[in-house]
Amino acid sequence: MLAYVVVQIAIEDPQAYEQYKVLAPPSIAAYGGRYLVRGGRSELLEGAWQPPRLVILEFPTPAQARAWWSSPEYAPAKAVGRYQLPRSAAAD
């Protein structure tokens, strides 16, 4: 069963974001993940939610999505983003 990770992110530190963009993709690929949506403007269709930047990742299984999130491969990117790139994330 496919799993999706949805991340809302605010880019408050462009230099940190450039570093994150180098570190995150190889870790995602290592767990079989891929980008479905990666930033750009989003259009509000209903409600009040307006994410500054939206990322949607797809993984082959929920277990692989959770393993990636907690992985040593993703840890350096996560550390960069923790304070410089405020975000919210959810997985299904």
Side-chain angles (χ1 to χ4, degrees), residues 4-7 20 23-33 35 55 57-59 61-75 77-78 87 89-91:
Y4 301 93
V5 176
V6 179
V7 182
Y20 183 87
L23 296 170
S27 72
I28 293 164
Y31 286 80
Y35 287 93
V55 176
L57 305 171
E58 179 184 76
F59 288 88
T61 67
Q64 283 174 280
R66 286 189 299 276
W68 163 74
W69 186 259
S70 302
S71 73
E73 293 88 351
Y74 183 53
K78 194 188 254 187
R87 64 185 183 260

Side-chain angles (χ1 to χ4, degrees), residues 10-72:
I11 301 170
E12 295 181 356
D13 181 338
Q15 287 180 317
Y17 184 62
E18 290 303 316
Q19 187 178 6
Y20 183 87
K21 287 189 332 187
V22 170
L23 296 170
S27 72
I28 293 164
Y31 286 80
R34 68 184 185 112
Y35 287 93
L36 294 180
V37 174
R38 192 175 188 179
R41 277 187 61 154
S42 57
E43 178 183 343
L44 180 63
L45 299 176
E46 184 175 349
W49 183 45
Q50 292 185 301
R53 184 171 181 82
L54 185 65
V55 176
I56 301 175
L57 305 171
E58 179 184 76
F59 288 88
T61 67
Q64 283 174 280
R66 286 189 299 276
W68 163 74
W69 186 259
S70 302
S71 73

